[in-house]
């Protein structure tokens, strides 16, 4: 079992689910290409679960607006969304088992987010540490309202399609817990509408960046992308942070917490090689150059088939766009049904239905009396 493996009990669907598979939902903001941190944190789990679950993958462009909302940011959504889907398919997701959709193309999710927002407090959301981290990474001095409500909108994404499994990185685990709380709270108050989604966490911690920072991130410029050419991978690995206390190859080094060795553990398919490097590194019998050279070779072995599949998929012009369009239409149908159930459960349809009945009754009385009816207000019904 590799470091990317997950426990079977975390992913097993309900026994004998019948013709319909349980549902999975996850996704990313369209802020750029996917990198190794995405793969270790969530994408590996998505690929494992893809055939066992009815899989919805969100291109979260509304979530992107919380920290990136310039006209230039928004104008680039299409290109970045296509890159994300290409990367996901190239990494191993099956297009026949995947529903990719653009979040802004499903406005019912925003309505559901508003309806759910009355069930959570501001102090509860302020306790989520990742939101403060997102503010810092975005260089913002204060938290926008949209960012504070990010977990509620994320809950609406999950609950709109009634997902039962949410594979995410550990930095998003607290967000999924908000979705679980909201599902339970809604069901208790208004009646059972939502399944309580289950979190499927990654087995590995957040993958550090090549600069040694705690997390690989596009905004920090410390990422190795799934689509990076081999020479770029070699160059980035050569610049990687290692043991700062080690001044020469003859000095014993620390393996624990060393980003280069964490990458070896996660991505090197030759465990005997990794064990040998660790032993010699601790003994001061191998230099950082050899450790990095073998890591670069391991990463390129891992990325070669991904790059090959990506090139073939990109050559099929219009494929990605078609997947996003059909997926968005499919997801919107699901979200419409869910919102209708939610409005009925909450009783939000009662008042308008009563008004319509009274208006129709008045119109009938007016017609019977020969009176001129009021102009049509455009009220459906």
């Amino acid at each position: 079992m590799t470091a990317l493996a997950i426990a079977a009990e975390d992913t097993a669907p309900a026994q004998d689910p019948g013709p319909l598979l349980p549902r999975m939902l996850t996704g990313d903001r369209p802020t750029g290409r996917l990198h190794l941190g995405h793969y270790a944190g969530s994408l590996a789990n998505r690929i494992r679960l893809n055939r066992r679950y009815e899989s919805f993958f969100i291109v979260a462009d509304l979530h992107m607006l919380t920290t990136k909302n310039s006209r230039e940011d928004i104008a680039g959504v299409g290109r970045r969304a296509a890159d994300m889907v290409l990367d996901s398919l190239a990494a191993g997701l099956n297009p026949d088992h995947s529903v990719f959709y653009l979040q802004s193309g499903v406005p019912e999710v925003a309505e559901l987010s508003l309806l759910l927002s009355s069930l959570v407090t501001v102090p509860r959301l302020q306790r989520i540490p990742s939101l403060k981290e997102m503010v810092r990474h975005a260089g913002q001095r204060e938290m926008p309202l949209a960012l504070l409500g990010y977990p509620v909108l994320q809950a609406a994404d999950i609950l709109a399609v009634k997902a039962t499994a949410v594979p995410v990185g550990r930095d998003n685990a607290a967000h999924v817990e908000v979705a679980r709380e909201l599902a339970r709270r809604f069901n208790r108050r208004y009646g059972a509408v939502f399944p309580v989604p289950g979190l499927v966490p990654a087995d590995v911690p957040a993958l550090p960046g090549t600069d040694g920072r705690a997390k690989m991130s596009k905004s920090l410029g410390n990422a190795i992308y799934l689509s990076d050419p081999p020479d770029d991978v070699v160059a980035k690995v050569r610049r990687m942070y290692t043991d700062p206390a080690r001044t020469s190859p003859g000095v014993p080094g620390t393996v624990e917490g060393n980003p280069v060795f964490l990458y070896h553990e996660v991505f090197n398919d030759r465990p005997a090689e990794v064990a040998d490097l660790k032993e010699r590194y601790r003994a001061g019998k191998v230099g950082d150059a050899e450790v990095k050279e073998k890591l670069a070779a391991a990463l390129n072995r891992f990325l070669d088939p991904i790059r090959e599949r990506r090139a073939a998929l990109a050559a099929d012009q219009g494929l990605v766009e078609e997947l996003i369009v059909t997926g968005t239409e499919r997801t919107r149908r699901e979200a419409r049904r869910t919102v209708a159930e939610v409005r009925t459960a909450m009783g939000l349809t009662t008042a308008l239905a009563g008004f319509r009945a009274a208006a129709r009754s008045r119109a009938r009385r007016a017609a019977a009396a020969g009176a001129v009816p009021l102009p049509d207000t455009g009220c459906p019904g």
Side-chain angles (χ1 to χ4, degrees):
M1 179 178 290
T2 70
L4 288 176
I6 54 178
E9 59 268 22
D10 291 334
T11 63
Q15 293 296 314
D16 191 20
L20 295 178
L21 293 173
R23 285 184 175 171
M24 167 177 73
L25 180 133
T26 187
D28 299 283
R29 300 190 302 162
T31 55
R33 295 172 293 148
L34 300 184
H35 52 61
L36 292 178
H38 290 117
Y39 188 92
S42 179
L43 188 52
N45 277 349
R46 300 176 195 181
I47 294 166
R48 288 192 190 91
L49 301 175
N50 193 197
R51 285 185 175 273
R52 298 171 60 187
Y53 283 75
E54 191 175 9
S55 303
F56 287 75
F57 300 107
I58 180 174
V59 178
D61 55 334
L62 294 182
H63 286 302
M64 184 195 75
L65 300 180
T66 57
T67 57
K68 293 181 178 292
N69 50 31
S70 70
R71 293 182 66 89
E72 292 76 14
D73 290 328
I74 297 170
V77 164
R79 172 181 53 80
R80 293 192 298 269
D83 277 338
M84 281 176 49
V85 175
L86 272 176
D87 285 337
S88 298
L89 295 174
L93 288 179
N94 188 327
D96 296 331
H97 295 268
S98 306
V99 179
F100 295 97
Y101 71 97
L102 189 65
Q103 186 183 30
S104 62
V106 188
E108 289 77 12
V109 172
E111 180 181 357
L112 181 57
S113 177
L114 176 64
L115 297 176
L116 295 173
S117 65
S118 64
L119 302 177
V120 66
T121 66
V122 169
R124 171 66 181 92
L125 298 175
Q126 288 174 329
R127 292 198 299 270
I128 298 176
S130 59
L131 296 184
K132 297 176 183 178
E133 183 181 345
M134 291 173 70
V135 170
R136 288 195 299 270
H137 283 174
Q140 297 175 335
R141 300 177 61 183
E142 297 179 321
M143 184 177 297
L145 176 60
L147 183 54
L148 181 64
Y150 189 115
V152 182
L153 181 57
Q154 193 169 50
D157 296 326
I158 296 166
L159 300 179
V161 298
K162 299 187 177 181
T164 55
V166 187
V168 294
R170 295 186 181 184
D171 56 335
N172 267 301
H175 296 195
V176 179
E177 188 53 43
V178 171
R180 290 166 54 80
E181 291 173 11
L182 287 171
R184 288 192 293 260
R185 196 163 295 152
F186 185 97
N187 291 344
R188 284 196 302 267
R189 184 170 298 186
Y190 301 113
V193 170
F194 299 118
V196 178
L199 170 68
V200 184
D203 268 2
V204 297
L207 199 67
T210 56
D211 57 359
R213 298 198 194 187
K215 182 181 177 183
M216 182 175 287
S217 168
K218 289 172 274 195
S219 60
L220 295 176
N222 61 2
I224 296 175
Y225 294 94
L226 301 183
S227 55
D228 273 346
D231 289 347
D232 287 2
V233 173
V234 171
K236 290 180 178 182
V237 170
R238 283 175 179 166
R239 297 193 297 269
M240 280 187 70
Y241 178 93
T242 56
D243 181 354
R246 196 174 194 229
T247 56
S248 71
V251 175
T254 301
V255 169
E256 292 72 22
N258 189 321
V260 174
F261 280 98
L262 178 57
Y263 279 55
H264 268 295
E265 291 171 4
V266 175
F267 294 105
N268 194 331
D269 58 347
R270 298 174 180 174
E273 178 178 270
V274 177
D276 173 67
L277 289 172
K278 286 182 177 180
E279 181 180 351
R280 289 195 287 143
Y281 198 81
R282 291 188 178 107
K285 295 181 179 180
V286 64
D288 284 342
E290 182 181 345
V291 175
K292 291 181 177 181
E293 178 185 352
K294 291 185 175 178
L295 174 60
L299 290 177
N300 277 323
R301 286 196 304 273
F302 173 78
L303 292 172
D304 277 343
I306 296 177
R307 288 185 288 240
E308 184 177 348
R309 287 193 295 267
R310 195 182 198 279
L313 290 162
D316 189 350
Q317 295 184 3
L319 170 65
V320 167
E321 291 80 0
E322 180 182 349
L323 288 173
I324 294 174
V325 169
T326 57
T328 301
E329 292 171 350
R330 161 76 188 284
T331 306
R332 189 168 189 193
R333 291 193 296 270
E334 298 288 343
R336 281 174 173 162
R337 281 194 286 269
T338 299
V339 169
E341 289 181 52
V342 166
R343 291 173 64 87
T344 299
M346 295 178 72
L348 289 174
T349 59
T350 304
L352 184 56
F355 295 150
R356 286 172 173 164
R360 286 194 294 267
S361 178
R362 183 180 187 278
R364 286 193 294 268
R365 291 196 305 271
V372 178
L374 291 174
D376 185 1
T377 63
C379 179

